[in-house]
């Protein structure tokens, strides 16, 4: 039913342009969607892709343990975007039709979400634009600014799943400025509700303030290359972007600012009293003649107020118990339910001229003493080593097949997906096929 409503909404959104004047199919390239233009100069683009996915996991040391298997539609996405006649005003609507939420076994970036992007963008000048609505945020690590259809490996890194917000609702200001020598600065400022995506109920806490500054010393990337992981265009000259990002969430009701209302605390009067969350990051992307390298570092901290005296259980009841190792400790109890610590991800790969890519990644997570990153079932795994091979069937990401193998160091106290203790490390094998139009 939801899928039917969304498809109907897409049609309704397009009706004004269709009814007021004629539109024409301007161009179509496999993997780049349908591009329409109107007689008055406006444009509309419709695109989508599907990604069927297979995953198996084996817990080493537990030879009698069950091998975890998973078959599903990883993503099934449809997006509609367009520009006004003078191209100053644009919009985007993007949804995922792959199904209902599932247990977060590997911290998927947005598994089971429905409404992804929904925003309006206005170009104040040739260099500055304002966006209002829901979209990806520049205060996440660089990988989150890249489309899921263009990932270098089957899945995003664990730095992304551990610390990213993914999408937020608010106001975004983006700039692109050329400086002497052919270099560029690209600043972004964000002011959001700090509750993640799809917040249709009560707004929790205060606002989230943040920004990013990217420096491109060798000029702009070719054909959106800054927002795609593989060097599909084989840059003829070296391209590099280095960026820093920072955000401050004034009152957060979840582990990392992604799921509003999932973790709540109260003061003596029964009013909400929430911890603050700060995140800092630095990252880079380099491309040259088929070679690409991505590096990211993220660190997060929290501030817990003295006014927190109660916690809200999952069933809605409250408790004044904040026991940590048998001792009442409000601050560290609260921190133990948040994603606190640091992590870095480094990955690189080479795309051959026959469109076969060989890629590798190393990801490291280091949890604070009190942090949900110590959770034995979902995290508590400091090191991830991944090797992947991909075959692209065209240069527009219209179709590709990817496989990857990940070896995971599991720290003592780790559990399998059923919550049972494991005695060794893990192997994860993944296979995904992507087809777009």
């Amino acid at each position: 039913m939801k899928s039917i409503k969304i498809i109907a909404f897409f049609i309704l959104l397009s009706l004004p342009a269709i009814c007021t004047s004629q539109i024409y199919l301007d161009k179509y390239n496999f993997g780049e969607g349908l591009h329409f233009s109107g007689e008055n100069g406006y444009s509309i683009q419709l695109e989508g892709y599907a990604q069927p996915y297979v995953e198996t996991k084996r817990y080493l040391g537990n030879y009698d343990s069950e091998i975890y298997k998973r078959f599903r539609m990883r993503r099934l996405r449809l997006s509609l975007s367009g520009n006004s006649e003078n191209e100053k005003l644009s919009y985007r609507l993007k949804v995922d039709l792959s199904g209902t939420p599932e247990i977060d076994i590997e911290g998927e970036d947005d598994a089971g979400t429905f409404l992804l992007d929904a925003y309006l963008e206005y170009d104040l000048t040739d260099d500055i634009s304002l966006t209002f609505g829901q979209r990806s945020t520049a205060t996440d690590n660089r990988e989150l600014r890249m489309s899921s259809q263009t990932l270098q490996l089957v899945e995003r890194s664990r730095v992304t799943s551990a610390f990213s917000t993914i999408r937020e609702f608010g106001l975004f200001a983006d700039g692109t400025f050329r400086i002497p020598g052919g270099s560029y600065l690209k600043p972004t400022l964000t002011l959001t509700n700090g509750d993640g995506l799809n917040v249709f109920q009560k707004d929790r806490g205060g606002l989230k303030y943040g920004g990013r500054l990217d420096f491109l010393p060798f000029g702009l990337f070719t054909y959106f290359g800054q927002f795609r992981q593989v060097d599909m265009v084989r840059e003829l000259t070296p391209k590099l972007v280095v960026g820093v990002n920072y955000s401050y969430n004034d009152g957060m009701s979840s582990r990392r600012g992604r799921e509003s209302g999932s973790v709540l605390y109260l003061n003596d009067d029964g009013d909400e009293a929430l911890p603050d969350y700060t995140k800092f990051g630095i990252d880079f992307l380099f491309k040259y003649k088929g070679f690409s390298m991505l590096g990211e570092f993220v660190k997060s901290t929290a501030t817990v107020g003295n006014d927190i005296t109660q916690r809200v259980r999952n069933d809605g009841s409250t408790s004044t118990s904040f026991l940590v190792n048998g001792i009442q400790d409000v601050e560290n109890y609260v921190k133990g339910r948040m994603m606190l610590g640091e992590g870095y991800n480094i990955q690189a790969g080479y795309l051959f001229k026959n469109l076969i890519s060989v890629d590798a990644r190393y990801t490291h997570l280091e949890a604070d003493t009190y942090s949900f990153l110590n959770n034995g079932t979902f995290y508590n795994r400091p090191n991830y080593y991944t090797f992947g091979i991909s075959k692209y069937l065209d240069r527009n990401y219209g179709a590709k097949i990817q496989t990857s193998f990940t070896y995971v160091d599991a720290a003592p106290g780790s559990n399998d997906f059923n919550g049972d203790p494991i005695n060794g490390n893990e192997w994860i094998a993944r296979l995904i096929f992507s087809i777009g139009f």
Side-chain angles (χ1 to χ4, degrees):
M1 181 61 68
K2 284 185 177 180
S3 300
I4 294 175
K5 290 181 179 179
I6 286 294
I7 293 172
F9 182 72
F10 270 78
I11 296 173
L12 289 173
L13 190 62
S14 305
L15 277 179
I18 296 173
C19 295
T20 56
S21 60
Q22 290 182 321
I23 62 172
Y24 307 91
L25 178 61
D26 189 43
K27 67 175 181 176
Y28 171 70
N29 292 320
F30 181 52
E32 295 187 338
L34 300 167
H35 295 252
F36 299 92
S37 60
E39 58 185 10
N40 294 326
Y42 59 83
S43 64
I44 300 174
Q45 181 175 347
L46 180 65
E47 56 186 329
Y49 62 92
Q51 292 184 325
Y53 171 89
V54 179
E55 174 186 311
T56 63
K57 179 187 292 186
R58 176 64 185 268
Y59 299 97
L60 304 179
N62 291 38
Y63 297 107
D64 58 344
S65 66
E66 177 185 357
I67 298 178
Y68 171 77
K69 306 180 185 68
R70 195 180 200 186
F71 302 83
R72 65 169 178 150
M73 184 62 69
R74 179 65 180 90
R75 301 176 182 93
L76 179 58
R77 297 187 173 173
L78 188 66
S79 67
L80 178 70
S81 57
N83 295 293
S84 63
E85 299 174 13
N86 57 14
E87 297 188 350
K88 281 187 169 292
L89 181 66
S90 61
Y91 64 87
R92 182 178 178 86
L93 176 65
K94 186 174 185 178
V95 297
D96 188 287
L97 309 175
S98 59
T100 57
E102 300 186 41
I103 296 174
D104 188 8
I105 297 296
E106 284 300 316
E108 285 89 352
D109 52 342
D110 42 12
T113 59
F114 194 64
L115 178 64
L116 301 179
D117 295 331
Y119 62 79
L120 292 172
E121 180 178 340
Y122 182 75
D123 293 336
L124 290 177
T125 68
D126 291 339
D127 301 320
I128 302 173
S129 65
L130 290 179
T131 302
F132 180 71
Q134 180 171 286
R135 63 166 231 192
S136 62
T137 174
T139 57
D140 277 336
N141 52 304
R142 183 167 302 280
E143 190 179 41
L144 258 298
R145 305 303 305 278
M146 300 174 177
S147 168
S148 301
Q149 193 179 7
T150 68
L151 296 182
Q152 190 172 32
L153 292 156
V154 176
E155 287 288 4
R156 301 183 191 272
S157 78
R158 290 296 272 167
V159 166
T160 293
S161 63
F163 298 105
S164 68
T165 308
I166 303 173
R167 286 176 171 84
E168 298 183 41
F169 187 93
L171 182 65
F172 308 83
D174 298 280
T176 301
F177 304 100
R178 183 168 181 172
I179 57 179
S183 301
Y184 282 81
L185 285 176
K186 301 183 73 171
T188 299
L189 296 176
T190 66
L191 177 63
T192 68
N193 61 356
D195 288 332
L197 76 173
N198 297 346
V199 183
F200 299 125
Q201 299 178 358
K202 180 180 178 181
D203 186 38
R204 309 283 184 177
L207 297 175
K208 179 178 178 180
Y209 313 87
R212 167 181 281 274
L213 179 62
D214 282 347
F215 174 57
L216 294 88
F218 310 130
L220 300 177
F221 287 72
T222 304
Y223 196 55
F224 305 109
Q226 183 179 341
F227 305 101
R228 298 173 175 180
Q229 289 191 354
V230 176
D231 185 17
M232 189 67 73
V233 300
R234 305 184 68 84
E235 297 281 2
L236 297 179
T237 60
K239 299 296 182 182
L240 173 68
V241 56
V242 179
V244 293
N245 61 84
Y246 173 86
S247 62
Y248 174 75
N249 196 331
D250 181 17
M252 189 175 71
S253 62
S254 59
R255 302 195 192 282
R256 60 175 86 70
R258 185 186 296 182
E259 186 179 358
S260 176
S262 60
V263 183
L264 293 175
Y265 303 97
L266 308 175
N267 58 23
D268 287 332
D269 298 326
D271 299 324
E272 288 184 1
L274 303 174
D276 301 330
Y277 188 76
T278 302
K279 187 171 65 176
F280 164 80
I282 183 169
D283 45 49
F284 75 88
L285 175 68
F286 175 81
K287 291 185 176 183
Y288 182 53
K289 291 187 176 179
F291 174 79
S292 60
M293 176 176 286
L294 172 69
E296 304 166 299
F297 171 81
V298 179
K299 181 174 180 59
S300 63
T301 59
T303 302
V304 180
N306 296 325
D307 54 342
I308 295 178
T309 58
Q310 305 177 68
R311 59 183 175 88
V312 180
R313 297 190 182 100
N314 291 335
D315 62 2
S317 62
T318 61
S319 173
T320 58
S321 174
F322 291 84
L323 296 180
V324 178
N325 298 323
I327 301 174
Q328 182 80 350
D329 187 343
V330 175
E331 178 179 358
N332 288 326
Y333 182 94
V334 172
K335 288 184 175 181
R337 302 177 73 188
M338 304 172 72
M339 306 300 279
L340 300 178
E342 61 186 54
Y344 62 85
N345 173 60
I346 186 75
Q347 65 187 63
Y350 182 76
L351 178 68
F352 294 90
K353 293 183 178 180
N354 59 4
L355 299 185
I356 292 178
S357 178
V358 179
D359 310 285
R361 165 197 288 156
Y362 171 65
T363 302
H364 176 74
L365 298 178
E366 187 170 333
D368 285 355
T369 302
Y370 300 98
S371 169
F372 192 77
L373 285 173
N374 295 310
N375 179 276
T377 300
F378 301 110
Y379 291 94
N380 198 40
R381 291 150 172 84
N383 299 303
Y384 300 80
Y385 310 86
T386 301
F387 174 76
I389 299 177
S390 303
K391 170 60 180 175
Y392 298 84
L393 303 184
D394 76 316
R395 293 189 177 275
N396 297 323
Y397 297 96
K400 64 177 179 175
I401 185 169
Q402 295 177 288
T403 185
S404 68
F405 302 89
T406 300
Y407 182 76
V408 183
D409 286 339
S414 297
N415 306 318
D416 63 16
F417 58 90
N418 291 318
D420 299 323
I422 60 175
N423 300 318
N425 297 326
E426 304 171 8
W427 272 107
I428 304 173
R430 297 182 174 100
L431 176 68
I432 195 168
F433 181 75
S434 181
I435 179 71
F437 69 83

